[in-house]
Amino acid sequence: GWVQQVRALPLARVLHRLGAGRARAGDPVNPRVGAELLVGTGQHLRAGEPWLRVHHDGTLGAEGRRELQDALCLGPEPAQDPPPLLAETILPSGPPPGHAGAAN
């Protein structure tokens, strides 16, 4: 099928359980845990082609694999208008602190 989207929240939940995130301040983060997305919106995938590479030193398990597969949304046709890679740039409203024109 054609990649319509990859849902970030299921990926984040699985990676968090593997140690990539904190539940509260001070919790350790495992720097060996992460993921590489190997596909983009509008790309065609065939059965068995990899779309995600997960780095971890624990056990992913069947439930984690299912959650990751559920994050990949495929369709019979290419996505009509893939979302832009950059949605918006937000700039500061005034000069940076310490700038010659800034009020102290």
Side-chain angles (χ1 to χ4, degrees), residues 71-92:
L72 178 65
C73 301
L74 298 176
E77 301 287 328
Q80 293 300 321
D81 292 315
L85 294 177
L86 178 66
E88 183 178 359
T89 301
I90 301 172
L91 301 173

Side-chain angles (χ1 to χ4, degrees), residues 24-102:
R24 57 187 140 305
D27 284 354
V29 173
N30 185 341
R32 295 177 302 274
V33 175
E36 296 174 66
L37 190 57
L38 305 175
V39 298
T41 302
Q43 185 174 336
H44 186 262
L45 281 177
R46 289 179 174 74
E49 281 187 284
W51 65 275
L52 180 70
R53 182 177 295 130
V54 178
H55 302 271
H56 63 92
D57 54 4
T59 302
L60 184 56
E63 181 181 343
R65 288 179 185 277
R66 190 190 81 256
E67 287 178 80
L68 293 175
Q69 287 294 11
D70 289 346
L72 178 65
C73 301
L74 298 176
E77 301 287 328
Q80 293 300 321
D81 292 315
L85 294 177
L86 178 66
E88 183 178 359
T89 301
I90 301 172
L91 301 173
S93 59
H99 185 267

